[in-house]
Amino acid sequence: MGKRKKPKLPDTKKERIAELEHELAEVIVLNERLQKQVEILREKLEEMERSGRRQVRPFGRRELVGQRKKPGRKKGQGKFVRRAKPKPGEVKKTEEVKLHGCPECGGKVNDVRKHEQYEVDIPPVKPEWTRYVSYSGYCRECRKQVYSRHPHQVTPMRGAVGEVVIGPRAKALASNMNHRLGASYAKVSEVMNDAFGLQVERSSWCRADQRMAETTRPVYEKLVDVVRQCNVVHADETSWCIDTLLAWLWVFTNQEVTVYAIRDNRSSDVVLEILGEEFRSILASDCMGSYDNRRLQDWLKQKCVSHLLKDLKNMQENKSGRALHFARQLTSLLQEALQLKKDKPGLDPPTFLQRSQNLETRLDALIGSHRRLTNPDNARFAKRLRKHRLHLLRFLYVDDLEPTNNQAERMLRPAVITRKTNGCNRSRHGADTHAILASILATCRQHSVPILDYMIQLQYSHGNSPIPVRNPHINSASPPT
Protein backbone atom coordinates (compact mmCIF):
# COMPACT_ATOMS: atom_id res chain seq x y z
CA MET A 1 0.00 0.00 0.00
CA GLY A 2 1.29 3.44 -0.74
CA LYS A 3 1.80 6.15 1.85
CA ARG A 4 -1.27 8.11 2.70
CA LYS A 5 -0.88 11.73 1.78
CA LYS A 6 -1.45 14.33 4.50
CA PRO A 7 -4.45 16.43 3.91
CA LYS A 8 -3.63 19.97 2.87
CA LEU A 9 -4.55 22.68 5.35
CA PRO A 10 -6.57 25.55 4.09
CA ASP A 11 -4.68 28.78 3.59
CA THR A 12 -6.62 30.43 6.44
CA LYS A 13 -5.38 27.81 8.92
CA LYS A 14 -1.77 28.27 7.76
CA GLU A 15 -2.04 32.00 8.24
CA ARG A 16 -3.57 31.48 11.69
CA ILE A 17 -0.75 29.12 12.72
CA ALA A 18 1.85 31.61 11.48
CA GLU A 19 0.21 34.37 13.48
CA LEU A 20 0.17 32.25 16.64
CA GLU A 21 3.83 31.32 16.19
CA HIS A 22 4.71 35.00 15.75
CA GLU A 23 2.74 35.95 18.85
CA LEU A 24 4.40 33.14 20.81
CA ALA A 25 7.85 34.42 19.83
CA GLU A 26 6.90 37.94 20.93
CA VAL A 27 5.59 36.62 24.26
CA ILE A 28 8.84 34.71 24.83
CA VAL A 29 10.91 37.84 24.17
CA LEU A 30 8.64 39.92 26.41
CA ASN A 31 8.86 37.31 29.15
CA GLU A 32 12.64 37.34 29.07
CA ARG A 33 12.65 41.15 29.24
CA LEU A 34 10.25 41.19 32.17
CA GLN A 35 12.30 38.61 34.01
CA LYS A 36 15.36 40.82 33.68
CA GLN A 37 13.42 43.79 35.01
CA VAL A 38 12.14 41.71 37.91
CA GLU A 39 15.70 40.73 38.81
CA ILE A 40 16.81 44.37 38.71
CA LEU A 41 13.88 45.49 40.87
CA ARG A 42 14.47 42.63 43.33
CA GLU A 43 18.10 43.72 43.76
CA LYS A 44 17.04 47.33 44.33
CA LEU A 45 14.42 46.24 46.86
CA GLU A 46 16.95 44.16 48.78
CA GLU A 47 19.39 47.07 48.79
CA MET A 48 16.70 49.43 50.11
CA GLU A 49 15.78 46.99 52.87
CA ARG A 50 19.44 46.66 53.89
CA SER A 51 19.92 50.43 53.90
CA GLY A 52 16.76 50.84 55.98
CA ARG A 53 18.10 48.55 58.69
CA ARG A 54 21.46 50.31 58.71
CA GLN A 55 21.38 53.03 61.38
CA VAL A 56 25.00 53.70 62.22
CA ARG A 57 26.15 54.49 58.69
CA PRO A 58 23.19 55.52 56.55
CA PHE A 59 25.57 57.05 54.02
CA GLY A 60 28.26 54.38 53.98
CA ARG A 61 31.01 54.07 51.46
CA ARG A 62 29.16 51.45 49.41
CA GLU A 63 26.27 53.81 48.71
CA LEU A 64 28.58 56.64 47.69
CA VAL A 65 30.83 54.71 45.31
CA GLY A 66 30.54 56.34 41.91
CA GLN A 67 28.79 59.40 43.35
CA ARG A 68 31.56 61.02 45.32
CA LYS A 69 33.23 63.97 43.68
CA LYS A 70 36.95 64.38 43.51
CA PRO A 71 38.10 66.44 46.52
CA GLY A 72 39.40 69.97 46.06
CA ARG A 73 38.70 72.67 43.51
CA LYS A 74 38.74 72.04 39.81
CA LYS A 75 41.77 73.24 37.92
CA GLY A 76 41.58 76.97 37.28
CA GLN A 77 38.82 77.62 39.81
CA GLY A 78 39.41 79.80 42.87
CA LYS A 79 42.71 81.07 44.15
CA PHE A 80 44.94 80.26 47.05
CA VAL A 81 44.84 82.92 49.76
CA ARG A 82 47.49 82.96 52.46
CA ARG A 83 46.40 84.15 55.88
CA ALA A 84 47.57 87.75 56.27
CA LYS A 85 50.17 88.62 58.89
CA PRO A 86 49.28 91.15 61.59
CA LYS A 87 49.70 94.81 60.82
CA PRO A 88 52.24 96.95 62.71
CA GLY A 89 51.05 97.56 66.23
CA GLU A 90 48.58 94.68 66.30
CA VAL A 91 50.94 92.27 68.06
CA LYS A 92 50.46 92.87 71.78
CA LYS A 93 52.60 90.05 73.12
CA THR A 94 55.83 88.35 72.02
CA GLU A 95 57.15 85.07 73.41
CA GLU A 96 60.72 84.08 72.50
CA VAL A 97 62.04 80.60 73.23
CA LYS A 98 65.83 80.18 73.03
CA LEU A 99 67.43 76.96 71.81
CA HIS A 100 70.36 76.30 74.17
CA GLY A 101 70.80 72.63 73.33
CA CYS A 102 69.23 69.55 71.85
CA PRO A 103 65.94 68.86 73.67
CA GLU A 104 66.50 65.12 73.19
CA CYS A 105 70.10 64.52 74.37
CA GLY A 106 71.25 67.94 75.58
CA GLY A 107 74.02 68.27 72.94
CA LYS A 108 75.17 71.51 71.34
CA VAL A 109 73.28 72.78 68.27
CA ASN A 110 74.85 74.35 65.15
CA ASP A 111 73.33 76.54 62.41
CA VAL A 112 70.68 78.01 64.68
CA ARG A 113 68.01 79.83 62.68
CA LYS A 114 65.21 82.11 63.75
CA HIS A 115 61.57 81.29 62.91
CA GLU A 116 58.44 83.34 63.49
CA GLN A 117 54.91 82.19 64.01
CA TYR A 118 51.89 84.38 64.66
CA GLU A 119 48.92 83.11 66.63
CA VAL A 120 45.58 84.88 66.59
CA ASP A 121 43.06 84.06 69.29
CA ILE A 122 40.00 85.48 70.97
CA PRO A 123 40.69 87.18 74.31
CA PRO A 124 38.49 86.38 77.29
CA VAL A 125 35.27 88.34 76.94
CA LYS A 126 33.17 89.48 79.87
CA PRO A 127 29.78 91.17 79.70
CA GLU A 128 29.97 94.96 79.82
CA TRP A 129 27.38 96.75 81.90
CA THR A 130 26.11 100.22 80.98
CA ARG A 131 23.97 102.25 83.37
CA TYR A 132 21.49 104.64 81.76
CA VAL A 133 19.88 107.27 83.96
CA SER A 134 16.79 108.83 82.42
CA TYR A 135 13.98 111.04 83.70
CA SER A 136 10.24 111.20 83.20
CA GLY A 137 7.61 113.83 83.72
CA TYR A 138 4.23 115.14 82.57
CA CYS A 139 3.90 117.63 79.75
CA ARG A 140 1.88 120.71 80.69
CA GLU A 141 0.55 121.13 77.14
CA CYS A 142 -0.49 117.61 76.00
CA ARG A 143 -0.86 116.13 79.49
CA LYS A 144 1.21 113.05 78.62
CA GLN A 145 4.00 111.33 80.48
CA VAL A 146 7.30 111.76 78.62
CA TYR A 147 10.73 110.18 79.07
CA SER A 148 14.28 111.14 78.26
CA ARG A 149 16.22 108.55 76.21
CA HIS A 150 19.84 108.05 75.18
CA PRO A 151 20.54 107.47 71.43
CA HIS A 152 22.15 104.10 72.20
CA GLN A 153 19.35 103.02 74.53
CA VAL A 154 17.57 100.48 72.28
CA THR A 155 14.88 99.52 74.82
CA PRO A 156 12.88 102.16 76.72
CA MET A 157 12.88 101.97 80.50
CA ARG A 158 9.40 100.86 81.58
CA GLY A 159 8.98 99.45 85.10
CA ALA A 160 10.75 96.43 86.54
CA VAL A 161 10.82 94.57 83.21
CA GLY A 162 12.91 97.28 81.58
CA GLU A 163 15.30 97.63 84.48
CA VAL A 164 17.81 95.06 83.12
CA VAL A 165 17.76 94.45 79.35
CA ILE A 166 19.96 92.74 76.74
CA GLY A 167 22.31 94.95 74.75
CA PRO A 168 22.23 95.36 70.94
CA ARG A 169 25.39 93.36 70.18
CA ALA A 170 24.20 90.32 72.13
CA LYS A 171 20.81 90.54 70.40
CA ALA A 172 22.43 90.76 66.97
CA LEU A 173 24.67 87.75 67.63
CA ALA A 174 21.77 85.67 68.98
CA SER A 175 19.59 86.52 65.96
CA ASN A 176 22.34 85.55 63.56
CA MET A 177 22.90 82.24 65.33
CA ASN A 178 19.22 81.35 65.38
CA HIS A 179 17.77 82.66 62.11
CA ARG A 180 20.75 82.23 59.77
CA LEU A 181 22.91 79.50 61.29
CA GLY A 182 20.06 77.35 62.61
CA ALA A 183 21.00 77.17 66.31
CA SER A 184 18.07 76.80 68.69
CA TYR A 185 17.46 79.32 71.45
CA ALA A 186 18.60 76.74 74.00
CA LYS A 187 21.94 76.38 72.20
CA VAL A 188 22.20 80.17 71.89
CA SER A 189 21.87 80.41 75.67
CA GLU A 190 24.58 77.80 76.14
CA VAL A 191 27.02 79.54 73.79
CA MET A 192 26.43 82.94 75.35
CA ASN A 193 26.98 81.52 78.82
CA ASP A 194 30.06 79.44 77.93
CA ALA A 195 31.79 82.03 75.73
CA PHE A 196 30.84 85.32 77.37
CA GLY A 197 29.41 84.50 80.77
CA LEU A 198 26.09 86.02 79.75
CA GLN A 199 23.30 84.14 81.52
CA VAL A 200 20.05 84.68 79.63
CA GLU A 201 17.13 82.26 79.32
CA ARG A 202 16.01 81.13 75.86
CA SER A 203 12.60 82.78 76.31
CA SER A 204 14.37 86.14 76.66
CA TRP A 205 16.17 85.63 73.34
CA CYS A 206 12.83 84.77 71.71
CA ARG A 207 11.16 87.95 72.98
CA ALA A 208 14.20 90.01 71.99
CA ASP A 209 13.96 88.68 68.42
CA GLN A 210 10.28 89.49 68.23
CA ARG A 211 10.92 93.08 69.29
CA MET A 212 13.80 93.37 66.83
CA ALA A 213 11.60 92.05 64.00
CA GLU A 214 9.00 94.72 64.72
CA THR A 215 11.74 97.33 64.68
CA THR A 216 13.25 96.14 61.39
CA ARG A 217 9.99 95.49 59.54
CA PRO A 218 10.44 98.66 57.40
CA VAL A 219 13.75 97.24 56.13
CA TYR A 220 12.00 93.98 55.21
CA GLU A 221 9.35 95.88 53.26
CA LYS A 222 12.08 97.72 51.37
CA LEU A 223 13.71 94.39 50.47
CA VAL A 224 10.38 93.22 49.03
CA ASP A 225 10.28 96.37 46.88
CA VAL A 226 13.81 95.67 45.65
CA VAL A 227 12.87 92.10 44.68
CA ARG A 228 9.99 93.42 42.59
CA GLN A 229 12.37 95.68 40.68
CA CYS A 230 15.01 93.05 39.89
CA ASN A 231 15.22 91.71 36.34
CA VAL A 232 15.51 88.05 37.42
CA VAL A 233 13.99 86.45 40.51
CA HIS A 234 14.46 82.83 41.58
CA ALA A 235 11.62 81.33 43.61
CA ASP A 236 11.24 78.10 45.55
CA GLU A 237 9.46 76.75 48.62
CA THR A 238 9.81 74.08 51.30
CA SER A 239 7.50 72.60 53.88
CA TRP A 240 7.22 74.35 57.25
CA CYS A 241 5.17 74.12 60.42
CA ILE A 242 3.42 76.69 62.57
CA ASP A 243 2.68 74.90 65.82
CA THR A 244 1.15 71.63 64.52
CA LEU A 245 -0.25 73.05 61.26
CA LEU A 246 1.39 72.57 57.88
CA ALA A 247 2.79 75.72 56.29
CA TRP A 248 5.29 76.66 53.59
CA LEU A 249 8.44 78.75 53.65
CA TRP A 250 8.95 80.62 50.37
CA VAL A 251 12.12 82.25 49.12
CA PHE A 252 12.45 84.92 46.42
CA THR A 253 16.07 85.66 45.64
CA ASN A 254 18.82 86.54 43.19
CA GLN A 255 22.42 87.63 43.49
CA GLU A 256 21.41 90.91 45.11
CA VAL A 257 18.65 90.28 47.64
CA THR A 258 16.81 87.47 49.44
CA VAL A 259 13.29 87.60 50.86
CA TYR A 260 11.63 84.84 52.89
CA ALA A 261 7.90 84.50 53.51
CA ILE A 262 6.02 81.90 55.59
CA ARG A 263 2.43 81.30 54.54
CA ASP A 264 -0.27 78.71 55.14
CA ASN A 265 -0.66 77.82 51.46
CA ARG A 266 1.38 76.87 48.41
CA SER A 267 -0.69 78.70 45.82
CA SER A 268 0.05 81.48 43.37
CA ASP A 269 -1.38 83.99 45.86
CA VAL A 270 1.98 84.08 47.63
CA VAL A 271 3.81 84.78 44.35
CA LEU A 272 1.48 87.66 43.57
CA GLU A 273 1.69 88.98 47.14
CA ILE A 274 5.50 89.18 47.14
CA LEU A 275 6.25 90.04 43.50
CA GLY A 276 3.11 92.02 42.79
CA GLU A 277 0.65 91.79 39.91
CA GLU A 278 2.72 94.23 37.83
CA PHE A 279 5.86 92.07 37.86
CA ARG A 280 7.48 92.37 34.42
CA SER A 281 10.80 90.60 34.95
CA ILE A 282 11.79 86.93 34.62
CA LEU A 283 10.68 84.38 37.20
CA ALA A 284 12.95 81.32 37.46
CA SER A 285 11.38 78.31 39.16
CA ASP A 286 10.57 74.63 38.89
CA CYS A 287 7.45 73.32 37.15
CA MET A 288 5.11 73.47 40.15
CA GLY A 289 1.59 74.54 39.25
CA SER A 290 1.65 77.62 41.50
CA TYR A 291 4.05 79.32 39.08
CA ASP A 292 1.84 78.55 36.07
CA ASN A 293 -1.47 79.87 37.29
CA ARG A 294 -3.60 81.63 34.69
CA ARG A 295 -2.95 84.92 36.48
CA LEU A 296 0.77 84.46 35.72
CA GLN A 297 0.39 83.29 32.13
CA ASP A 298 1.77 86.54 30.68
CA TRP A 299 4.89 86.52 32.87
CA LEU A 300 8.36 85.78 31.51
CA LYS A 301 9.69 82.58 33.10
CA GLN A 302 12.55 80.13 33.04
CA LYS A 303 12.01 76.53 34.11
CA CYS A 304 14.85 74.78 35.91
CA VAL A 305 16.78 72.59 33.45
CA SER A 306 18.40 70.70 36.33
CA HIS A 307 14.99 69.42 37.48
CA LEU A 308 14.21 68.25 33.94
CA LEU A 309 17.53 66.42 33.62
CA LYS A 310 16.94 64.72 36.95
CA ASP A 311 13.51 63.49 35.82
CA LEU A 312 14.98 62.28 32.55
CA LYS A 313 17.66 60.38 34.43
CA ASN A 314 15.02 58.60 36.50
CA MET A 315 13.14 57.74 33.34
CA GLN A 316 16.24 56.20 31.77
CA GLU A 317 16.81 54.03 34.82
CA ASN A 318 13.30 52.57 34.63
CA LYS A 319 12.97 52.19 30.86
CA SER A 320 14.36 49.76 28.29
CA GLY A 321 14.28 49.26 24.54
CA ARG A 322 12.74 51.92 22.35
CA ALA A 323 11.28 53.76 25.33
CA LEU A 324 14.83 54.85 26.21
CA HIS A 325 15.38 56.80 22.99
CA PHE A 326 13.10 59.71 23.91
CA ALA A 327 14.75 60.34 27.28
CA ARG A 328 18.24 60.02 25.81
CA GLN A 329 17.51 62.43 22.97
CA LEU A 330 16.05 65.05 25.32
CA THR A 331 18.95 64.68 27.75
CA SER A 332 21.46 65.17 24.95
CA LEU A 333 19.61 68.25 23.69
CA LEU A 334 19.42 69.94 27.11
CA GLN A 335 23.09 69.21 27.78
CA GLU A 336 23.98 70.78 24.43
CA ALA A 337 21.95 73.85 25.42
CA LEU A 338 23.87 74.14 28.70
CA GLN A 339 27.16 73.86 26.83
CA LEU A 340 26.04 76.51 24.33
CA LYS A 341 25.31 78.83 27.27
CA LYS A 342 28.92 78.37 28.44
CA ASP A 343 30.34 78.87 24.94
CA LYS A 344 28.23 81.95 24.15
CA PRO A 345 30.82 84.60 25.22
CA GLY A 346 33.35 83.19 22.73
CA LEU A 347 30.95 82.83 19.77
CA ASP A 348 30.07 85.41 17.14
CA PRO A 349 26.35 86.30 16.91
CA PRO A 350 25.62 84.45 13.63
CA THR A 351 27.15 81.20 14.91
CA PHE A 352 25.30 81.44 18.21
CA LEU A 353 22.03 82.21 16.43
CA GLN A 354 22.43 79.24 14.11
CA ARG A 355 23.20 76.81 16.93
CA SER A 356 20.36 78.10 19.11
CA GLN A 357 17.86 77.86 16.25
CA ASN A 358 19.02 74.31 15.60
CA LEU A 359 18.29 73.43 19.24
CA GLU A 360 14.87 75.07 19.08
CA THR A 361 13.95 73.14 15.94
CA ARG A 362 15.11 69.81 17.37
CA LEU A 363 13.20 70.43 20.60
CA ASP A 364 9.99 71.17 18.69
CA ALA A 365 10.42 67.96 16.72
CA LEU A 366 11.04 65.87 19.84
CA ILE A 367 8.03 67.04 21.85
CA GLY A 368 5.65 67.95 19.03
CA SER A 369 2.03 66.87 19.39
CA HIS A 370 2.25 65.12 16.00
CA ARG A 371 4.79 62.64 17.36
CA ARG A 372 3.32 59.37 18.61
CA LEU A 373 4.88 58.13 21.83
CA THR A 374 3.72 54.68 22.85
CA ASN A 375 5.25 54.82 26.32
CA PRO A 376 2.82 56.66 28.66
CA ASP A 377 5.62 58.22 30.78
CA ASN A 378 7.29 59.64 27.68
CA ALA A 379 3.96 60.95 26.42
CA ARG A 380 3.26 62.70 29.75
CA PHE A 381 6.74 64.23 29.86
CA ALA A 382 6.41 65.51 26.28
CA LYS A 383 3.04 67.05 27.15
CA ARG A 384 4.63 68.71 30.18
CA LEU A 385 7.38 70.21 28.04
CA ARG A 386 4.88 71.46 25.47
CA LYS A 387 3.10 73.28 28.28
CA HIS A 388 6.33 75.05 29.31
CA ARG A 389 7.79 75.31 25.79
CA LEU A 390 8.29 79.08 25.85
CA HIS A 391 10.14 78.89 29.18
CA LEU A 392 12.66 76.12 28.49
CA LEU A 393 15.50 77.78 26.53
CA ARG A 394 15.09 81.45 27.47
CA PHE A 395 18.38 81.29 29.39
CA LEU A 396 20.26 81.13 26.06
CA TYR A 397 19.25 84.69 25.16
CA VAL A 398 19.55 86.44 28.56
CA ASP A 399 23.15 86.74 29.76
CA ASP A 400 22.33 87.08 33.46
CA LEU A 401 19.72 84.32 33.51
CA GLU A 402 20.87 80.97 34.88
CA PRO A 403 19.47 77.76 33.37
CA THR A 404 18.83 76.26 36.80
CA ASN A 405 17.07 77.30 39.99
CA ASN A 406 20.11 76.56 42.16
CA GLN A 407 20.17 80.09 43.58
CA ALA A 408 16.81 79.60 45.30
CA GLU A 409 17.72 76.10 46.49
CA ARG A 410 20.97 77.35 48.03
CA MET A 411 19.08 80.03 49.95
CA LEU A 412 16.62 77.40 51.21
CA ARG A 413 19.33 75.30 52.85
CA PRO A 414 19.61 77.45 56.02
CA ALA A 415 15.83 77.22 56.40
CA VAL A 416 15.96 73.43 56.10
CA ILE A 417 18.63 73.28 58.81
CA THR A 418 16.51 75.50 61.06
CA ARG A 419 13.48 73.29 60.43
CA LYS A 420 15.36 70.15 61.45
CA THR A 421 17.04 71.64 64.53
CA ASN A 422 14.41 74.04 65.86
CA GLY A 423 11.14 72.46 64.79
CA CYS A 424 10.00 75.51 62.81
CA ASN A 425 7.75 78.01 64.66
CA ARG A 426 5.12 77.73 67.38
CA SER A 427 3.07 80.81 66.45
CA ARG A 428 2.30 83.11 63.56
CA HIS A 429 4.21 85.87 65.35
CA GLY A 430 7.28 83.64 65.51
CA ALA A 431 6.97 82.78 61.81
CA ASP A 432 6.87 86.46 60.84
CA THR A 433 9.87 87.12 63.08
CA HIS A 434 11.89 84.39 61.40
CA ALA A 435 10.97 85.56 57.88
CA ILE A 436 11.94 89.18 58.59
CA LEU A 437 15.23 88.56 60.38
CA ALA A 438 16.33 85.72 58.08
CA SER A 439 15.75 87.95 55.02
CA ILE A 440 17.87 90.78 56.42
CA LEU A 441 20.66 88.47 57.59
CA ALA A 442 20.81 86.57 54.28
CA THR A 443 20.96 89.80 52.27
CA CYS A 444 23.76 91.12 54.48
CA ARG A 445 25.68 87.92 53.87
CA GLN A 446 25.24 88.24 50.11
CA HIS A 447 26.88 91.68 50.13
CA SER A 448 29.57 90.85 52.73
CA VAL A 449 28.09 93.47 55.06
CA PRO A 450 29.26 93.00 58.68
CA ILE A 451 26.16 91.44 60.16
CA LEU A 452 26.66 92.43 63.79
CA ASP A 453 27.50 96.05 62.99
CA TYR A 454 24.50 96.37 60.67
CA MET A 455 22.05 94.84 63.13
CA ILE A 456 23.37 97.08 65.91
CA GLN A 457 22.92 100.13 63.69
CA LEU A 458 19.37 99.01 62.91
CA GLN A 459 18.54 98.92 66.60
CA TYR A 460 20.09 102.35 67.20
CA SER A 461 18.17 103.87 64.27
CA HIS A 462 14.92 102.00 65.13
CA GLY A 463 14.75 100.44 61.66
CA ASN A 464 15.52 103.58 59.66
CA SER A 465 18.94 102.49 58.34
CA PRO A 466 19.49 101.96 54.59
CA ILE A 467 18.94 98.44 53.29
CA PRO A 468 22.14 96.34 52.84
CA VAL A 469 21.86 96.30 49.02
CA ARG A 470 24.44 98.12 46.95
CA ASN A 471 22.93 97.46 43.51
CA PRO A 472 19.19 96.79 43.58
CA HIS A 473 19.13 95.80 39.88
CA ILE A 474 20.93 92.92 38.23
CA ASN A 475 21.37 95.00 35.09
CA SER A 476 19.97 98.14 33.63
CA ALA A 477 18.60 96.53 30.48
CA SER A 478 15.01 95.43 30.24
CA PRO A 479 14.43 91.68 30.10
CA PRO A 480 13.82 90.31 26.61
CA THR A 481 10.47 88.96 25.53
Side-chain angles (χ1 to χ4, degrees):
M1 295 179 63
K3 294 182 178 180
R4 183 179 294 181
K5 295 183 180 180
K6 294 181 179 180
K8 293 184 178 180
L9 296 174
D11 293 340
T12 55
K13 291 184 177 181
K14 289 182 179 180
E15 292 176 357
R16 180 57 180 167
I17 292 174
E19 290 178 359
L20 293 175
E21 290 178 348
H22 180 69
E23 291 179 0
L24 179 61
E26 290 183 347
V27 169
I28 293 174
V29 174
L30 179 61
N31 187 29
E32 293 177 353
R33 185 184 304 169
L34 292 176
Q35 286 181 354
K36 292 180 180 179
Q37 292 184 357
V38 168
E39 292 296 330
I40 294 174
L41 293 176
R42 182 181 289 112
E43 292 178 359
K44 290 184 177 180
L45 179 59
E46 292 176 355
E47 181 65 25
M48 292 175 63
E49 290 178 351
R50 288 195 300 268
S51 63
R53 291 190 297 266
R54 187 183 299 113
Q55 299 179 1
V56 179
R57 296 182 61 200
F59 304 101
R61 183 178 181 84
R62 177 182 296 180
E63 289 78 2
L64 297 179
V65 170
Q67 302 180 10
R68 303 176 69 176
K69 296 181 180 180
K70 186 178 180 181
R73 295 191 184 104
K74 294 181 181 180
K75 186 177 181 181
Q77 291 186 353
K79 60 180 181 179
F80 178 78
V81 180
R82 188 183 298 275
R83 187 176 290 110
K85 292 184 179 181
K87 298 178 181 178
E90 288 186 342
V91 178
K92 302 299 183 182
K93 185 178 181 182
T94 301
E95 298 288 351
E96 187 174 0
V97 183
K98 297 290 186 179
L99 184 61
H100 300 287
C102 177
E104 299 293 336
C105 64
K108 295 183 178 180
V109 180
N110 297 328
D111 298 330
V112 178
R113 299 179 182 179
K114 183 179 181 180
H115 305 275
E116 290 184 349
Q117 181 188 48
Y118 295 95
E119 180 183 87
V120 58
D121 197 2
I122 302 174
V125 179
K126 295 182 179 180
E128 183 179 76
W129 290 84
T130 302
R131 177 171 173 259
Y132 292 101
V133 179
S134 60
Y135 299 90
S136 64
Y138 288 91
C139 177
R140 294 181 179 179
E141 302 295 333
C142 58
R143 302 294 181 179
K144 294 181 179 179
Q145 188 176 13
V146 293
Y147 297 84
S148 61
R149 186 170 176 177
H150 193 274
H152 289 176
Q153 194 175 358
V154 297
T155 304
M157 184 183 298
R158 297 290 188 274
V161 178
E163 187 175 358
V164 178
V165 297
I166 306 172
R169 183 172 296 275
K171 289 182 181 178
L173 180 58
S175 297
N176 187 38
M177 292 175 61
N178 180 262
H179 300 285
R180 192 178 71 85
L181 303 179
S184 63
Y185 285 123
K187 293 181 179 179
V188 169
S189 297
E190 292 180 7
V191 172
M192 291 295 188
N193 186 22
D194 296 340
F196 311 113
L198 189 61
Q199 297 181 357
V200 180
E201 296 295 330
R202 57 184 180 179
S203 59
S204 299
W205 295 121
C206 179
R207 290 192 295 269
D209 277 348
Q210 292 177 355
R211 289 191 293 267
M212 188 184 300
E214 291 299 325
T215 301
T216 57
R217 185 178 293 273
V219 178
Y220 176 79
E221 295 173 352
K222 293 178 183 177
L223 293 180
V224 174
D225 292 337
V226 171
V227 165
R228 295 178 178 180
Q229 299 171 9
C230 292
N231 289 339
V232 177
V233 176
H234 296 262
D236 205 352
E237 73 292 326
T238 186
S239 59
W240 201 256
C241 283
I242 300 178
D243 197 7
T244 58
L245 302 178
L246 178 63
W248 300 93
L249 184 142
W250 293 73
V251 61
F252 300 87
T253 181
N254 52 39
Q255 299 296 333
E256 300 293 328
V257 63
T258 297
V259 170
Y260 295 99
I262 300 176
R263 298 294 182 268
D264 298 332
N265 58 74
R266 203 182 183 187
S267 68
S268 58
D269 296 338
V270 182
V271 181
L272 291 171
E273 175 190 350
I274 300 299
L275 298 182
E277 297 182 358
E278 303 298 327
F279 184 73
R280 291 295 178 265
S281 302
I282 301 176
L283 175 63
S285 67
D286 53 24
C287 296
M288 193 182 71
S290 300
Y291 305 109
D292 300 313
N293 188 273
R294 58 181 178 81
R295 295 178 293 178
L296 313 180
Q297 61 183 358
D298 297 331
W299 288 22
L300 300 177
K301 304 169 189 173
Q302 171 61 54
K303 298 304 176 181
C304 179
V305 177
S306 178
H307 282 74
L308 299 178
L309 289 174
K310 182 179 179 180
D311 294 341
L312 289 171
K313 181 180 178 181
N314 294 333
M315 291 172 60
Q316 294 182 53
E317 292 177 352
N318 301 322
K319 296 288 183 296
S320 60
R322 294 183 178 180
L324 273 172
H325 297 333
F326 176 75
R328 288 176 176 174
Q329 290 173 340
L330 268 178
T331 300
S332 176
L333 187 146
L334 294 177
Q335 290 176 347
E336 289 182 28
L338 295 177
Q339 186 61 41
L340 179 59
K341 176 72 173 182
K342 295 179 181 178
D343 299 340
K344 182 179 179 180
L347 298 176
D348 56 278
T351 303
F352 171 76
L353 183 61
Q354 180 181 2
R355 292 177 58 179
S356 60
Q357 289 180 348
N358 181 29
L359 290 174
E360 300 275 7
T361 304
R362 288 168 53 194
L363 181 59
D364 290 333
L366 280 175
I367 65 175
S369 57
H370 62 277
R371 184 178 181 183
R372 284 183 136 187
L373 298 171
T374 57
N375 185 273
D377 293 335
N378 292 344
R380 282 192 294 268
F381 197 81
K383 182 179 179 180
R384 173 183 169 191
L385 294 186
R386 287 195 297 270
K387 176 183 177 182
H388 304 296
R389 176 62 185 90
L390 297 176
H391 315 307
L392 297 179
L393 300 180
R394 179 168 278 119
F395 67 91
L396 291 175
Y397 312 103
V398 183
D399 294 337
D400 296 304
L401 179 60
E402 298 179 1
T404 66
N405 201 29
N406 292 343
Q407 173 68 21
E409 293 183 350
R410 284 194 296 267
M411 302 312 294
L412 276 183
R413 288 176 186 173
V416 174
I417 295 174
T418 302
R419 179 182 65 198
K420 292 183 177 181
T421 57
N422 294 0
C424 303
N425 302 113
R426 297 184 179 181
S427 64
R428 167 56 61 185
H429 194 187
D432 293 340
T433 298
H434 179 72
I436 293 173
L437 296 180
S439 301
I440 297 174
L441 294 170
T443 305
C444 287
R445 185 66 176 176
Q446 286 181 275
H447 292 271
S448 300
V449 174
I451 291 178
L452 297 185
D453 294 342
Y454 182 78
M455 297 300 290
I456 293 172
Q457 185 61 35
L458 274 181
Q459 295 177 72
Y460 286 159
S461 63
H462 306 292
N464 296 324
S465 296
I467 58 176
V469 178
R470 296 168 184 159
N471 182 19
H473 306 279
I474 290 183
N475 52 54
S476 57
S478 300
T481 59

